[in-house]
Amino acid sequence: MSLELVSSARSFGGWHKRYRHRSATLGCDMVFAVYLPPQVDATQSLPVLYWLSGLTCTDENFMQKAGAHRYAAQLGLVIVAPDTSPRGADVPDDLDGVWDFGHGAGFYLDAVQQPWARHYRMHDYVVNELPALIEMNFPVSARRGISGHSMGGHGALVCALRNSGRYRSVSAFAPIANPMNCPWGEKAFGRYLGADRASWREWDACELLAGATERVPILVDQGGADDFLEEQLKPMNLQAAAERAGHPLKLRLQPGYDHSYYFIASFIEDHLRHHIQALKD
């Protein structure tokens, strides 16, 4: 569980740091980023928001583009951003070199099909191994929130819905809300999980809402000009599933916004305030 510091930069009175470690869960080296706000010097129990990025991203996209450091510094919120998948020479990638599967596209699930099952266990990594590492090495509490964008929004919703009591808050930007019924999800689920679509339900937020045992309020922002809105993201399916389950969901359709980090930066303050409200003592 030892950490190797990769880089460190001062930001809004706090520190943005990147670390490398050997992951037993994923069987490879992983890099994650952590933002430590100024309050880290005065307390030993800061809450933590885990941010899950989308297809083709790494830990760097959110930390550099979202503008989250300013608000995290004000709120006293630690942010942890893992990579989006296992990587390395020993980790299998898509043989056809497609951008939406393999490296950068772990889909935050635990694969059962070969050759993916050995390394592609991002759900276990995000929910268990990474928080244990963070809580062992940084002055943080077990008050956890989770958020993400696109594929990472799917991951945030699924991590929260599958792990009752693990997270106090959850939100998402433009999540892949119903992955078992969209091209991105069907490709990933078919290869990572196999042909039995019944097993896919364990990794689909719309399906998981029906059996959720806690009612942690969900905040979702979706850009109205998002090119992926109708075919891939399907937020209205999520809204319908939440209504059927009686689960609190605030879905905000934002006219004119696309799928980019301009969209995320425009509303990240709202999301961080949503999380800190639930994560305060």
Side-chain angles (χ1 to χ4, degrees):
M1 300 289 276
S2 62
L3 297 179
E4 173 192 350
L5 181 64
V6 176
S7 65
S8 180
R10 197 76 165 152
S11 180
F12 292 97
W15 289 95
H16 171 256
K17 299 187 177 186
R18 300 182 74 224
Y19 291 91
R20 181 180 293 109
H21 74 105
R22 184 70 182 178
S23 169
T25 301
L26 303 177
C28 66
D29 288 345
M30 289 293 286
V31 173
F32 68 85
V34 58
Y35 178 68
L36 301 169
Q39 297 88 337
V40 78
D41 295 328
T43 179
Q44 295 297 306
S45 59
L46 291 180
V48 185
L49 177 66
Y50 290 88
W51 172 270
L52 308 182
S53 291
L55 287 165
T56 75
C57 292
T58 68
D59 64 282
E60 295 184 279
N61 298 75
F62 176 79
M63 291 298 201
Q64 294 181 7
K65 297 179 179 180
H69 289 185
R70 177 191 298 273
Y71 305 112
Q74 295 172 6
L75 299 171
L77 182 63
V78 173
I79 303 177
V80 174
D83 202 348
T84 50
S85 76
R87 299 181 195 264
D90 296 332
V91 177
D93 196 6
D94 184 82
L95 297 178
D96 297 323
V98 298
W99 63 273
D100 56 357
F101 185 81
H103 290 181
F107 265 83
Y108 303 103
L109 50 69
D110 292 341
V112 297
Q113 296 294 307
Q114 298 300 333
W116 321 107
R118 170 65 186 91
H119 297 282
Y120 284 81
R121 301 187 57 80
M122 286 298 295
H123 182 82
D124 190 7
Y125 176 73
V126 166
V127 172
N128 296 306
E129 185 178 19
L130 183 59
L133 191 67
I134 296 299
E135 290 164 22
M136 181 183 301
N137 288 279
F138 300 96
V140 301
S141 72
R143 291 171 288 151
R144 309 178 197 95
I146 192 163
S147 186
H149 171 231
S150 195
M151 178 185 71
H154 142 75
L157 295 173
V158 168
C159 286
L161 292 169
R162 282 175 58 101
N163 296 277
S164 179
R166 189 72 174 163
Y167 303 98
R168 292 191 184 186
S169 59
V170 59
S171 75
F173 288 84
I176 303 174
N178 191 192
M180 64 184 295
N181 290 309
C182 76
W184 280 339
E186 289 174 347
K187 175 188 285 188
F189 284 14
R191 297 184 183 188
Y192 289 137
L193 303 174
D196 181 10
R197 292 180 66 93
S199 69
W200 298 6
R201 294 173 183 159
E202 299 178 42
W203 305 101
D204 187 299
C206 289
E207 298 292 328
L208 290 169
L209 278 167
T213 57
E214 43 175 15
R215 293 289 184 260
V216 177
I218 300 170
L219 171 63
V220 172
D221 272 307
Q222 172 63 61
D226 192 322
D227 289 340
F228 305 115
L229 176 59
E230 298 298 333
E231 183 180 25
Q232 303 283 11
L233 305 178
K234 303 182 183 296
M236 304 315 294
N237 291 7
L238 184 70
Q239 183 174 59
E243 290 174 354
R244 289 193 299 269
H247 196 108
L249 167 68
K250 180 184 287 187
L251 172 61
R252 308 191 306 184
L253 295 175
Q254 305 290 0
Y257 285 90
D258 60 16
H259 200 69
S260 72
Y261 268 85
Y262 298 114
F263 162 57
I264 295 172
S266 297
F267 300 102
I268 191 63
E269 180 181 5
D270 291 354
H271 282 246
L272 296 192
R273 293 191 181 280
H274 164 81
H275 287 281
I276 201 66
Q277 186 64 36
L279 295 171
K280 291 187 300 186
D281 285 332

